[in-house]
Amino acid sequence: MSDKNNGGFALLACFIALGASAVIAFITYLLPLAGVEGADGVLRVLQIILQISLFIGVVFGAFAFAGRRGLITKILLFAFVTVFAAAIILGIINIANAS
């Protein structure tokens, strides 16, 4: 028996975001070890992409969780998502100013 409200899309989004994050993190941490020079800008962009993909995975999982809980949980979710999104935007602005 399958339950149609089991958060299938949210779980799939979390799974895909985790996979993308793992690949990006591996590349990001492998490049300096391989001695790639002058890739600072690329590494900063990859770090932002890594943060965004982790954000997407966590947010979908959190939405699936909060959807089954009360109003306080939904309000906290909104606050957490807002703070995390602001941090990512500030990181993007920092990259734009460093260029």
Side-chain angles (χ1 to χ4, degrees), residues 40-42 44-45 91-99:
D40 291 338
V42 173
R44 285 194 295 252
V45 170
I92 292 171
I93 291 171
N94 188 26
I95 285 178
N97 290 339
S99 298

Side-chain angles (χ1 to χ4, degrees), residues 22-94:
V23 170
I24 293 170
F26 184 74
I27 291 170
T28 301
Y29 300 128
L30 184 65
L31 285 177
L33 293 176
V36 176
E37 298 292 329
D40 291 338
V42 173
L43 290 176
R44 285 194 295 252
V45 170
L46 283 175
Q47 285 292 333
I48 291 295
I49 294 170
L50 175 65
Q51 289 177 351
I52 291 170
S53 65
L54 286 172
F55 175 71
I56 290 169
V58 168
V59 166
F60 274 109
F63 275 128
F65 174 79
R68 295 178 177 95
R69 303 296 186 259
L71 181 63
I72 299 295
T73 307
K74 292 174 185 164
I75 291 170
L76 286 172
L77 172 67
F78 177 75
F80 296 153
V81 167
T82 303
V83 169
F84 202 133
I88 290 174
I89 290 169
L90 290 174
I92 292 171
I93 291 171
N94 188 26

